[in-house]
Amino acid sequence: YAGWMRGAFNFELNQTETGYKLTAGEKAGSLTELTVPEEYNGLPVLEVGDFRYGYNLKTANIPNTVTYIAQTAFANCSKLTEINITDAGAETPTYISENGIVYLPADAQKGLTKSYYILPTAVTGEFTVDKEINNIAAGAFSSTSITSIIIHADVTYVAPEAFANCKKLETVTFRNPEQGAESKELTIGAKAFAKCDSLTTVNLSSRKIKDGLPLNRYTLGSLVGSSGSANKTVYDDIDGIKHTSVSPEITNAITDIFYTGYVKEEIATDGNKVTTVIKRAPNSLQNINVDAANPDYKSIDGILYNKSGDTLLYCPEANAATGGTLNLPADVRTIANGAFMHNTAIKTVNIHALGVNIGEIAFYASAVENVTFAGSNTAQPVVLGEYAFRESNIKKLTFAENSKVTEIGDG
């Protein structure tokens, strides 16, 4: 077989002893082409597992008698350009391929079209979802090199982590339905675009998003603990790193669609001692743009609001508003919990005197330095939620004459 090399494969007998799973061997890094055999030692090869050490792998050929391919099997194969499912006589194959992309076949009984399962990691540039696709599976695009994704209006489901770890992805665009066509509800799963470090712009269409965008990134309880202490919780194995938290920001309650994860950073301290600290990974997201016909959301300067504009829902972490200054729109009466959390670009926030509820952890760990609360003879109450500015870079709070901050929460 092409791609057969002693030491390049490992074969593991399954629990029922009816077939084998193929995984990478110690010499997998030498392969440029992998051809999975149909049989080994007289039994079928039924699974393809972890082949992450195939650093030079460009082509993978897998017989259609294989019944399971781990979705992360080729996650670190950065040179992989095609995965071919070859005809080995299976009557109802689990996987099919077209143009080097692995799909799950259509299932008429379940009303499912074919769907992406694995795209080769070296797929790059702009990618437009096939018109016949109506759902994108979890992890389908994970770790690919695409820079832009265009999702047509017949896609109704984007699974959790569908585009996770697309390090070069810069733009996501959801298209509007064609004129006269049905506008179908769209579901977007948690962490759908997690750890997309280069993502700067998301364009939302006029379509309704079922159950809303997954923006509930954190819960106050998981941030501060029952005692209110920020430095006592031990978190094990977060993003593969075992550590004790040095701030309350790391939590397993994260469902943020744009979650970036955490990175290790080594800092020299006293003498020759090096301390490893955990820091939130940078987030490049600047703008969420919403079509004016969307029934639930609107955007102003790339910041996400509810349709009426009275609630500011989410400010992307790299959004700078206007030159680093946010003048809160006069219509806003609520700043949602965590709305500006980890924002790195806004330094000054001006709060109007028309009455605002500022949610819990609203500006948590943000770069904001100066906040001014306006005043007037008819000023309405401003309420600050718990930990609203916790661990932010606050240097100056200005309460103008006749301002009316009536409540300041703990923290």
Side-chain angles (χ1 to χ4, degrees):
Y1 293 99
W4 182 275
M5 177 186 295
R6 186 177 297 276
F9 306 149
N10 292 322
F11 292 95
E12 302 172 15
L13 191 62
N14 63 18
Q15 291 184 345
T16 58
E17 299 186 354
T18 55
Y20 284 92
K21 176 170 73 172
L22 180 145
T23 57
E26 60 182 10
K27 295 184 179 179
S30 300
L31 288 178
T32 57
E33 182 175 355
L34 164 68
T35 297
V36 177
E38 295 176 29
E39 293 186 353
Y40 178 75
N41 278 352
L43 291 174
V45 176
L46 298 175
E47 300 180 30
V48 176
D50 186 354
F51 217 82
R52 68 177 64 182
Y53 302 114
Y55 303 122
N56 291 303
L57 192 64
K58 296 180 179 180
T59 301
N61 304 307
I62 302 172
N64 66 358
T65 47
V66 167
T67 57
Y68 177 71
I69 304 171
Q71 206 161 31
T72 57
F74 304 104
N76 288 345
C77 302
S78 60
K79 298 179 181 179
L80 185 64
T81 59
E82 58 179 343
I83 306 170
N84 303 310
I85 305 300
T86 59
D87 186 3
E91 293 184 5
T92 55
T94 304
Y95 308 102
I96 58 175
S97 68
E98 293 179 18
N99 301 317
I101 296 172
V102 180
Y103 296 83
L104 298 174
D107 188 330
Q109 290 185 336
K110 294 181 179 179
L112 297 176
T113 63
K114 74 176 185 180
S115 61
Y116 298 115
Y117 185 68
I118 304 176
L119 273 77
T121 49
V123 172
T124 189
E126 182 178 282
F127 191 97
T128 300
V129 173
D130 293 350
K131 186 63 177 176
E132 59 190 299
I133 299 292
N134 65 15
N135 67 91
I136 300 174
F141 285 79
S142 181
S143 301
T144 61
S145 298
I146 60 172
T147 56
S148 175
I149 182 73
I150 298 173
I151 301 172
H152 63 75
D154 287 327
V155 171
T156 57
Y157 182 64
V158 178
E161 302 189 30
F163 294 89
N165 292 297
C166 290
K167 300 300 184 183
K168 298 181 180 180
L169 181 62
E170 298 173 359
T171 304
V172 175
T173 298
F174 291 90
R175 281 186 171 160
N176 285 339
E178 295 179 2
Q179 187 172 4
E182 177 189 1
S183 183
K184 300 175 182 177
E185 282 191 343
L186 170 67
T187 297
I188 302 176
K191 299 186 186 179
F193 300 97
K195 301 184 183 180
C196 294
D197 300 345
S198 301
L199 183 61
T200 61
T201 303
V202 175
N203 301 309
L204 296 178
S205 69
S206 60
R207 299 164 63 197
K208 183 176 181 63
I209 299 175
K210 187 177 181 180
D211 299 326
L213 286 171
L215 293 171
N216 297 318
R217 297 176 286 165
Y218 303 81
T219 63
L220 181 60
S222 63
L223 281 167
V224 300
S226 58
S227 67
S229 172
N231 300 302
K232 294 183 178 179
T233 306
V234 175
Y235 298 90
D236 287 331
D237 198 23
I238 292 180
D239 291 343
I241 306 167
K242 293 186 181 295
H243 63 284
T244 302
S245 70
V246 294
S247 74
E249 64 191 12
I250 303 173
T251 168
N252 60 8
I254 299 167
T255 58
D256 185 1
I257 185 175
F258 306 117
Y259 168 62
T260 52
Y262 291 80
V263 294
K264 291 189 295 185
E265 183 175 300
E266 293 184 345
I267 298 176
T269 54
D270 297 337
N272 295 321
K273 184 179 179 182
V274 174
T275 300
T276 299
V277 298
I278 306 302
K279 297 183 66 176
R280 183 174 173 85
N283 187 315
S284 300
L285 187 62
Q286 297 175 14
N287 297 295
I288 299 178
N289 304 313
V290 183
D291 187 276
N294 189 285
D296 298 315
Y297 299 108
K298 66 185 293 184
S299 60
I300 302 172
D301 297 330
I303 298 174
L304 187 69
Y305 298 80
N306 66 349
K307 183 65 176 180
S308 67
D310 65 4
T311 301
L312 190 158
L313 296 169
Y314 177 76
C315 181
E317 292 183 28
N319 183 291
T322 303
T325 297
L326 173 72
N327 296 309
L328 191 68
D331 289 339
V332 173
R333 296 294 179 269
T334 300
I335 297 176
N337 294 349
F340 291 86
M341 182 180 289
H342 298 294
N343 179 280
T344 59
I346 294 175
K347 307 295 183 183
T348 299
V349 177
N350 297 315
I351 307 293
H352 57 65
L354 301 174
V356 182
N357 286 311
I358 299 175
E360 297 171 349
I361 56 176
F363 292 88
Y364 178 84
S366 69
V368 64
E369 298 178 354
N370 304 298
V371 179
T372 297
F373 299 93
S376 77
N377 292 331
T378 59
Q380 298 300 304
V382 174
V383 175
L384 296 181
E386 294 185 33
Y387 303 94
F389 294 97
R390 180 82 174 246
E391 304 220 0
S392 65
N393 202 30
I394 285 290
K395 296 179 180 178
K396 184 178 181 181
L397 292 175
T398 300
F399 299 90
E401 185 177 357
N402 294 324
S403 61
K404 199 172 183 181
V405 177
T406 60
E407 184 177 338
I408 300 176
D410 292 340

